[in-house]
Amino acid sequence: MTGCSLLGQDALCTKADDDSRVSAVWRPADFGGPDAAKIRLCVNSLCEEQKSGRPDDPFLSLSVQLPDSVRASTLPVRLTVTSAKSGATVVEDTTRARLTEQHPNGTSCPPTVWTATFRAHPDKGLTSTKGMKLQG
């Protein structure tokens, strides 16, 4: 831990770093065999992609890092899942992400980041992570 002082008040702050981002999490088994699909997540014009993973992995995630200037806003999000074998689109969905404020080191310590997380579902597209067990 390191000490920091904000507005004349002393507070102990950890040094955890974080970035503003929109993320998608999924169960690789939902998308078939080892790396059977390619997951692509876009927020505005920023995109990231990765392979779907091994079916025995409990879950994987993908994040699109947002600019430091982002604040409490609602951003367009697009998910595209394509078959690694055929290249065919198997899931395509769009929604809007409402970013929420996060303080990884406590409310009085930097950084302040803005995040949203979705589940990439094989039938429903982008859904809530509520109820998704993120451990094997």
Side-chain angles (χ1 to χ4, degrees):
M1 292 190 144
T2 183
C4 69
S5 178
L6 296 173
L7 304 173
Q9 297 177 352
D10 289 332
L12 290 178
C13 297
T14 59
K15 291 184 179 182
D17 194 17
D18 207 351
D19 295 308
S20 295
R21 67 194 176 290
V22 173
S23 302
V25 295
W26 66 90
R27 291 184 180 110
D30 288 347
F31 294 102
D35 295 328
K38 181 174 61 176
I39 313 293
R40 181 176 177 88
L41 184 67
C42 298
V43 181
N44 284 331
S45 61
L46 302 170
C47 297
E48 295 290 337
E49 65 183 40
Q50 75 178 49
K51 294 177 181 177
S52 58
R54 297 184 325 264
D56 57 338
D57 289 333
F59 74 96
L60 287 178
S61 66
L62 176 64
S63 295
V64 175
Q65 186 174 334
L66 302 174
D68 290 337
S69 60
V70 74
R71 294 287 179 257
S73 57
T74 303
L75 302 172
V77 179
R78 185 175 70 249
L79 171 73
T80 307
V81 180
T82 55
S83 166
K85 188 174 184 179
S86 70
T89 300
V90 292
V91 177
E92 191 167 30
D93 193 20
T94 60
T95 191
R96 298 193 62 79
R98 176 183 285 157
L99 302 178
T100 58
E101 188 173 1
Q102 304 290 318
H103 301 274
N105 296 311
T107 56
S108 62
C109 298
T112 298
V113 297
W114 299 88
T115 66
T117 303
F118 295 93
R119 175 181 180 184
H121 191 279
D123 299 320
K124 301 174 186 175
L126 292 165
T127 65
S128 169
T129 59
K130 186 175 181 174
M132 184 179 185
K133 184 179 176 186
L134 297 179
Q135 297 177 358

